[in-house]
Amino acid sequence: MTHLCKETLVAVVNGQLPGPAIEVREGDTVAINVINKSRYNITIHWHGVKQRLNCWADGVPMITQCPILPNHSMTYRFNVTGQEGTLWWHSHVPSLRATVHGALIIRPRHGAASYPFVKPHREIPVIVGDWWQMDLVQLNKELKNGTYEYNATVAATINGKLGDVHNCSGKIEDGYVLEVEPGKTYLLRIINAALTSEYYFKIAGHRFTVVAADANYVNPYTTDVIAIAPGETVDALLVADASPAGSYYMVAQDIQPPITDYTEPKLIARGTVRYQSSNNGGEDEAPSSSDVPMAPEMPGLHDRMVSFYFHGNLTSQHRRSPVPTHVDDRLFVTLSAGSVCRHGQSCKRRGNIQESIILVTMNDVSFLLPTAAAAAPLLESHYYYGQNKTATGGGVDLHTLPDRPRKKFNFTDSALIHHGPKEERLEPTERAATARRFRHGATVEVVFQSTAVMQSHYNPMHLHGHDMFVLAQGLGNYDAARDVARYNVVDPPVKNTVLVPSLGWAAVWFVADNPGVWYLHCHYEYHASMGMATVFIVDDGTTADSTLPPPPADLPKCGHNNNLTPNELNPHVGKSDVSYINIV
Ligand code: C2O
């Protein structure tokens, strides 16, 4: 594809960017043939699909399956039961999802008449993405090895288009155009598929009524701005009630770190809403030169509070499962940064990338797949050699994700934002394959705490195989004595991706009732590549309908030319007590 005068080789699905939307009804069984004609290993993840008793179709390389090699294919089969709204699909091979993604729309079984809101005239996917001018697999390698030095994202996109804020040698980039009829209501299914940024989304002269998030209905919430982090989806009604004589810019603009922190390139995409009028024939009408669209007034470039309140205002309605009334397991997880030495010898601070690799961590451990996982995905090891299984001779070492951080400090101390002795002491870290195992049916509380060591980064944490009840969020350090009282246990929003605010925290509950090996990771792509991830292993229940069935016969086998082979494992971490998977 060529944008901004530069041709870039990109992997796409069916020749489209975004890829084709998959449209299904609640309760459907879906079968998708993935034929890999690219030069990369590929898996596809169905983001937000619960995959009940079907972890095999979750599409995470070396966690749930061996990747589909070039010139190979695989059929994913899953059902979408008990879920309605907007989800999406994307490659789960790191970074490729920038161009290998599309919408996954689940309508009610009995059609649009059963929406808990006014039936829209049309439904429009709006995918916010980003445009890179580099090889994305190379990008991921650099992130993992700590050699990535510059930011090559050049622009945001709306449905694959950069829009007329961008031009090169006088050639203006195409923008996405939404044609509307006066007075009609549209359902926008907004997806943030970008690798790295949270976005504000606005349309001049219009307001939105948010009706769902992450394929869960919310109480209607009216706003003129939508905040959406990587991995999140928002369904919003748009009424075409502005003057039909005008046209209106729609803008997606990334949220920048505080001005005192560090600078990132400003990412923006611009599209247009145009009204069809009965006498001009609508779509074919070229805009005249006097037809300058009205521009929305965006929140301040560094304003994160608009997002904080947007997320805080979401409440659920028509929830399918009750809010738990007790908690079995509690985890307090710090999201932080650190470094390991490149060659094992003592090294200086993370700023010096010659000697050290910068990583990000959950409870002070940065996730790295075990070397043995190159031979078989974790899910296979778990299935064949896991708890109460008699087979031997396969298996891998995993390490328990600590329940709490080992490093205790004032997590949101702003003195840590800039390098200095205080911050350097916190840096040395370790790399390991961490996991946490849960009894079938356990209710789990996870409090995610961002730290100032990560500067002002925010972390959209995505859990596979389960939705989470988002009970509360806050700025500063979480304090159970004070904050539990603020939990919304009446109508908490239900999400597969929870945005943990910068220098703040978010508390969730989920019920571990879906047996398998589920990836939990930050959907900010740099963070996932740099180790902000772990796996949650959910045990089988006692009945056949709570037990993971055997793998489908056509699940790919791992080949020797597997380019996902993980590199060195840090020797500093102690042996696992998730030993049931530890067989070798
Ligand atoms: Cu949308 Cu594990 O990702």
Side-chain angles (χ1 to χ4, degrees):
M1 302 184 82
T2 301
H3 285 298
L4 300 170
C5 304
K6 187 165 187 288
E7 186 177 69
T8 310
L9 182 69
V10 292
V12 299
V13 174
N14 292 0
Q16 300 166 38
L17 178 60
I22 297 171
E23 305 190 39
V24 299
R25 289 181 310 165
E26 189 276 322
D28 278 358
T29 296
V30 186
I32 297 157
N33 290 315
V34 177
I35 302 157
N36 185 6
K37 293 185 179 168
S38 80
R39 45 198 272 246
Y40 307 109
N41 291 349
I42 293 278
T43 67
I44 304 289
H45 170 59
W46 317 94
H47 177 114
V49 173
K50 286 196 191 143
Q51 303 289 12
R52 203 175 139 63
L53 301 179
N54 195 35
C55 191
W56 303 110
D58 199 39
V60 189
M62 302 325 295
I63 294 193
T64 66
Q65 69 165 101
C66 303
I68 309 166
L69 301 179
N71 298 313
H72 287 65
S73 62
M74 171 186 171
T75 302
Y76 286 91
R77 289 187 183 78
F78 56 89
N79 54 48
V80 283
T81 303
Q83 296 190 273
E84 287 175 20
T86 306
L87 294 173
W88 57 300
W89 55 266
H90 59 78
S91 158
H92 216 297
V93 174
S95 301
L96 272 189
R97 79 168 157 87
T99 56
V100 178
H101 64 246
L104 171 53
I105 294 166
I106 310 170
R107 300 211 168 78
R109 184 93 216 131
H110 302 292
S114 36
Y115 284 138
F117 45 82
V118 44
K119 185 171 175 299
H121 173 58
R122 273 172 60 207
E123 302 183 9
I124 319 280
V126 176
I127 302 184
V128 178
D130 43 17
W131 176 244
W132 294 74
Q133 291 183 330
M134 71 180 290
D135 181 316
L136 294 162
V137 170
Q138 184 59 27
L139 166 70
N140 181 62
K141 282 204 186 109
E142 293 177 14
L143 288 170
K144 248 174 124 170
N145 297 334
T147 51
Y148 179 62
E149 282 184 71
Y150 66 98
N151 194 328
T153 351
V154 289
T157 56
I158 295 174
N159 288 339
K161 302 203 157 137
L162 284 65
D164 64 359
V165 268
H166 297 279
N167 74 82
C168 144
S169 307
K171 190 185 173 305
I172 286 171
E173 287 282 332
D174 276 352
Y176 171 69
V177 178
L178 171 60
E179 296 272 356
V180 298
E181 289 175 47
K184 295 272 165 70
T185 299
Y186 296 81
L187 177 62
L188 306 186
R189 297 178 175 276
I190 308 162
I191 297 166
N192 184 341
L195 293 189
T196 62
S197 297
E198 183 181 4
Y199 282 87
Y200 286 133
F201 179 77
K202 272 188 103 163
I203 298 176
H206 294 78
R207 291 160 78 75
F208 306 105
T209 303
V210 177
V211 291
D214 290 9
N216 286 286
Y217 294 116
V218 300
N219 288 302
Y221 161 56
T222 302
T223 173
D224 62 355
V225 60
I226 283 167
I228 187 164
E232 291 189 305
T233 69
V234 172
D235 292 1
L237 297 172
L238 170 79
V239 182
D241 57 3
S243 159
S247 61
Y248 306 88
Y249 276 133
M250 69 167 69
V251 174
Q253 180 178 295
D254 75 327
I255 307 180
Q256 294 275 313
I259 208 151
T260 50
D261 197 338
Y262 58 97
T263 47
E264 277 181 357
K266 175 175 157 184
L267 301 175
I268 185 165
R270 190 156 75 180
T272 316
V273 174
R274 274 195 216 134
Y275 281 72
Q276 300 170 348
S277 57
S278 40
N279 51 8
N280 69 7
E283 315 206 3
D284 305 325
E285 172 103 335
S288 69
S289 54
S290 62
D291 185 14
V292 178
M294 180 181 181
E297 195 185 313
M298 299 305 286
L301 260 186
H302 307 273
D303 184 345
R304 286 149 177 256
M305 290 315 288
V306 171
S307 162
F308 186 77
Y309 292 123
F310 177 87
H311 286 91
N313 280 336
L314 301 177
T315 52
S316 56
Q317 74 159 331
H318 298 277
R319 250 191 348 269
R320 292 191 183 244
S321 37
V323 183
T325 52
H326 72 282
V327 172
D328 300 295
D329 289 298
R330 287 197 160 81
L331 297 179
F332 179 81
V333 178
T334 48
L335 307 173
S336 194
S339 57
V340 292
C341 300
R342 194 175 288 281
H343 305 295
Q345 65 268 67
S346 74
C347 55
K348 298 200 192 95
R349 36 185 288 218
R350 66 178 170 198
N352 189 341
I353 64 158
Q354 295 307 320
E355 296 166 56
S356 58
I357 304 176
I358 306 161
L359 298 169
V360 288
T361 57
M362 294 178 64
N363 280 350
D364 310 314
V365 189
S366 181
F367 185 82
L368 186 69
L369 274 169
T371 315
L378 295 185
L379 182 60
E380 259 178 54
S381 299
H382 169 70
Y383 183 80
Y384 291 112
Y385 311 112
Q387 113 249 26
N388 309 328
K389 306 279 165 58
T390 49
T392 55
V396 291
D397 289 332
L398 297 181
H399 303 271
T400 300
L401 176 77
D403 281 2
R404 334 209 102 244
R406 279 171 279 185
K407 295 171 186 163
K408 302 271 160 42
F409 56 99
N410 173 3
F411 302 122
T412 52
D413 180 356
S414 55
L416 297 169
I417 290 180
H418 298 284
H419 303 297
K422 229 181 169 179
E423 185 271 336
E424 277 175 37
R425 248 179 297 138
L426 295 167
E427 272 205 12
T429 193
E430 40 198 6
R431 260 179 154 175
T434 56
R436 186 67 162 71
R437 180 181 162 193
F438 300 103
R439 173 181 64 75
H440 187 271
T443 298
V444 182
E445 174 175 287
V446 187
V447 176
F448 294 105
Q449 171 76 57
S450 294
T451 74
V453 186
M454 291 205 70
Q455 306 178 302
S456 50
H457 283 224
Y458 40 84
N459 300 291
M461 300 303 292
H462 173 52
L463 174 61
H464 288 212
H466 301 80
D467 275 343
M468 304 174 278
F469 299 94
V470 182
L471 303 162
Q473 59 169 2
L475 300 176
N477 296 339
Y478 174 81
D479 172 7
R482 175 195 63 203
D483 294 323
V484 169
R486 294 172 41 200
Y487 282 8
N488 174 3
V489 293
V490 178
D491 56 4
V494 182
K495 308 262 292 145
N496 61 56
T497 304
V498 57
L499 179 59
V500 184
S502 153
L503 305 182
W505 54 271
V508 304
W509 287 344
F510 73 94
V511 181
D513 59 1
N514 191 5
V517 176
W518 303 104
Y519 202 32
L520 165 65
H521 63 97
C522 186
H523 221 278
Y524 194 119
E525 190 70 19
Y526 290 10
H527 295 173
S529 297
M530 293 162 71
M532 190 176 283
T534 189
V535 293
F536 280 180
I537 298 175
V538 178
D539 286 350
D540 284 336
T542 50
T543 57
D545 68 357
S546 57
T547 299
L548 181 68
D554 60 348
L555 201 65
K557 303 275 178 292
C558 286
H560 49 273
N561 57 339
N562 170 6
N563 69 15
L564 294 165
T565 307
N567 31 25
E568 79 283 14
L569 188 61
N570 187 292
H572 305 224
V573 182
K575 262 289 156 63
S576 158
D577 59 355
V578 188
S579 56
Y580 67 96
I581 207 173
N582 167 20
I583 302 282
V584 181

Coordinates of all heavy atoms in Angstrom, one line a residue, residues 45-48 58-60 88-92 97 230-231 462-464 496-497 519-523 525, ligand 1:
H45 N -6.9 -14.4 16.5 CA -7.6 -14.4 17.8 C -9.0 -13.7 17.6 O -9.0 -12.7 16.9 CB -6.7 -13.7 18.8 CG -7.4 -13.4 20.1 ND1 -8.0 -14.4 20.9 CD2 -7.7 -12.2 20.8 CE1 -8.5 -13.8 22.0 NE2 -8.4 -12.5 21.9
W46 N -10.0 -14.3 18.2 CA -11.3 -13.7 18.1 C -11.6 -13.0 19.4 O -12.0 -13.5 20.4 CB -12.3 -14.9 17.9 CG -11.7 -15.8 16.9 CD1 -11.0 -16.9 17.1 CD2 -11.7 -15.6 15.5 NE1 -10.5 -17.5 16.0 CE2 -10.9 -16.7 14.9 CE3 -12.3 -14.7 14.6 CZ2 -10.7 -16.8 13.5 CZ3 -12.0 -14.8 13.3 CH2 -11.3 -15.8 12.7
H47 N -11.2 -11.7 19.4 CA -11.0 -10.9 20.6 C -12.4 -10.6 21.3 O -13.2 -10.0 20.7 CB -10.4 -9.5 20.1 CG -10.2 -8.6 21.3 ND1 -9.0 -8.1 21.7 CD2 -11.2 -7.9 22.0 CE1 -9.2 -7.3 22.7 NE2 -10.5 -7.1 22.9
G48 N -12.5 -11.2 22.5 CA -13.7 -11.0 23.3 C -14.6 -12.2 23.2 O -15.5 -12.3 24.0
D58 N -8.7 -20.2 20.5 CA -8.4 -18.9 21.0 C -7.3 -18.1 20.1 O -7.2 -16.9 20.2 CB -8.1 -18.9 22.4 CG -8.2 -17.5 23.1 OD1 -9.2 -16.9 22.8 OD2 -7.4 -17.2 23.9
G59 N -6.5 -18.9 19.4 CA -5.6 -18.2 18.5 C -4.4 -17.5 19.0 O -4.0 -16.5 18.5
V60 N -3.8 -18.0 20.1 CA -2.6 -17.3 20.6 C -1.4 -18.2 20.4 O -1.4 -19.3 20.9 CB -2.7 -17.0 22.1 CG1 -1.5 -16.1 22.6 CG2 -4.0 -16.4 22.5
W88 N -14.1 -8.1 17.7 CA -13.2 -8.0 16.5 C -12.3 -9.2 16.5 O -12.2 -10.0 17.4 CB -12.5 -6.7 16.4 CG -11.7 -6.2 17.6 CD1 -12.0 -6.1 18.9 CD2 -10.3 -5.9 17.5 NE1 -11.0 -5.6 19.6 CE2 -9.9 -5.5 18.8 CE3 -9.3 -5.9 16.4 CZ2 -8.6 -5.1 19.1 CZ3 -8.0 -5.5 16.7 CH2 -7.7 -5.1 18.0
W89 N -11.6 -9.3 15.4 CA -10.6 -10.4 15.2 C -9.3 -9.8 14.8 O -9.3 -8.7 14.2 CB -11.1 -11.5 14.2 CG -11.4 -10.9 12.8 CD1 -12.7 -10.5 12.4 CD2 -10.5 -10.6 11.8 NE1 -12.6 -10.0 11.1 CE2 -11.3 -10.1 10.7 CE3 -9.2 -10.8 11.6 CZ2 -10.7 -9.7 9.5 CZ3 -8.6 -10.5 10.4 CH2 -9.4 -9.9 9.3
H90 N -8.2 -10.4 15.2 CA -6.9 -9.9 14.8 C -5.9 -10.9 14.8 O -6.0 -11.9 15.6 CB -6.5 -8.7 15.6 CG -6.4 -8.9 17.1 ND1 -5.3 -9.5 17.6 CD2 -7.2 -8.6 18.1 CE1 -5.5 -9.6 19.0 NE2 -6.6 -9.0 19.3
S91 N -4.8 -10.8 14.1 CA -3.7 -11.7 14.2 C -3.1 -11.5 15.6 O -3.1 -10.4 16.1 CB -2.6 -11.2 13.2 OG -1.4 -11.7 13.6
H92 N -2.7 -12.7 16.2 CA -2.1 -12.5 17.5 C -0.6 -12.8 17.4 O 0.0 -12.9 18.4 CB -2.8 -13.5 18.5 CG -2.9 -13.0 19.9 ND1 -1.8 -12.6 20.6 CD2 -4.0 -12.6 20.6 CE1 -2.2 -12.1 21.8 NE2 -3.5 -12.1 21.8
R97 N -1.1 -7.5 13.9 CA -2.5 -7.1 14.0 C -2.7 -5.7 13.5 O -3.9 -5.3 13.3 CB -3.0 -7.3 15.4 CG -2.7 -6.3 16.4 CD -3.5 -6.5 17.7 NE -3.0 -6.0 18.9 CZ -3.1 -4.7 19.3 NH1 -3.9 -3.9 18.5 NH2 -2.6 -4.2 20.4
P230 N -6.7 0.7 23.1 CA -6.5 -0.5 22.2 C -7.1 -1.8 22.8 O -7.0 -2.0 24.0 CB -4.9 -0.7 22.3 CG -4.4 0.7 22.5 CD -5.4 1.4 23.4
G231 N -7.9 -2.4 22.0 CA -8.6 -3.6 22.4 C -10.1 -3.4 22.8 O -10.9 -4.3 22.8
H462 N -6.2 -7.0 28.9 CA -7.2 -7.8 28.2 C -7.0 -9.3 28.7 O -6.0 -9.9 28.6 CB -6.9 -7.8 26.7 CG -7.7 -8.7 25.9 ND1 -9.1 -8.8 26.0 CD2 -7.4 -9.6 24.9 CE1 -9.6 -9.7 25.1 NE2 -8.6 -10.2 24.5
L463 N -8.2 -9.8 29.1 CA -8.2 -11.2 29.6 C -8.9 -12.1 28.5 O -10.0 -11.8 28.1 CB -8.9 -11.3 30.9 CG -9.1 -12.7 31.5 CD1 -7.8 -13.5 31.7 CD2 -10.0 -12.7 32.8
H464 N -8.3 -13.2 28.1 CA -8.9 -14.1 27.2 C -9.9 -15.0 27.9 O -9.7 -15.3 29.0 CB -7.9 -14.9 26.4 CG -7.0 -14.2 25.5 ND1 -6.5 -14.7 24.3 CD2 -6.6 -12.9 25.4 CE1 -5.8 -13.8 23.6 NE2 -5.9 -12.7 24.3
N496 N -14.0 -7.1 28.4 CA -12.8 -8.0 28.2 C -11.5 -7.3 28.3 O -10.5 -7.9 28.4 CB -13.0 -8.8 26.9 CG -13.0 -7.9 25.7 OD1 -12.1 -7.1 25.5 ND2 -14.0 -8.0 24.8
T497 N -11.6 -6.0 28.2 CA -10.4 -5.1 28.3 C -10.6 -4.0 29.3 O -11.6 -3.3 29.1 CB -10.0 -4.5 26.9 OG1 -9.9 -5.6 25.9 CG2 -8.7 -3.7 26.9
Y519 N -4.5 -16.3 28.0 CA -3.5 -15.2 28.0 C -4.2 -14.0 28.6 O -5.3 -13.7 28.4 CB -3.2 -15.0 26.5 CG -1.9 -14.3 26.3 CD1 -0.8 -14.5 27.1 CD2 -1.7 -13.5 25.2 CE1 0.5 -13.9 26.8 CE2 -0.5 -12.9 24.9 CZ 0.6 -13.1 25.7 OH 1.8 -12.5 25.4
L520 N -3.4 -13.3 29.5 CA -3.8 -12.0 30.0 C -2.7 -11.1 29.7 O -1.5 -11.3 30.0 CB -4.0 -12.1 31.5 CG -4.0 -10.8 32.3 CD1 -5.2 -10.0 32.0 CD2 -4.0 -11.1 33.8
H521 N -3.0 -10.0 29.0 CA -1.9 -9.1 28.6 C -2.4 -7.7 28.3 O -3.6 -7.5 28.2 CB -1.2 -9.6 27.3 CG -2.2 -9.7 26.1 ND1 -2.2 -8.7 25.2 CD2 -3.1 -10.6 25.7 CE1 -3.2 -9.0 24.2 NE2 -3.7 -10.1 24.6
C522 N -1.4 -6.8 28.3 CA -1.7 -5.4 28.0 C -2.0 -5.4 26.5 O -1.2 -6.0 25.7 CB -0.6 -4.5 28.4 SG -1.0 -2.8 28.1
H523 N -3.0 -4.7 26.0 CA -3.3 -4.6 24.6 C -2.5 -3.5 23.9 O -2.7 -3.2 22.7 CB -4.8 -4.5 24.3 CG -5.3 -5.3 23.2 ND1 -5.2 -4.9 21.9 CD2 -5.8 -6.5 23.1 CE1 -5.6 -5.8 21.1 NE2 -6.0 -6.9 21.8
E525 N 0.5 -2.7 22.3 CA 1.3 -3.7 21.7 C 2.8 -3.7 22.2 O 3.4 -4.8 22.4 CB 1.3 -3.6 20.2 CG 2.0 -4.7 19.4 CD 1.2 -6.0 19.5 OE1 -0.1 -5.9 19.8 OE2 1.7 -7.1 19.2
Ligands
C2O1 CU1 -7.0 -8.6 21.3 CU2 -4.8 -11.3 23.3 O1 -5.8 -9.9 22.2

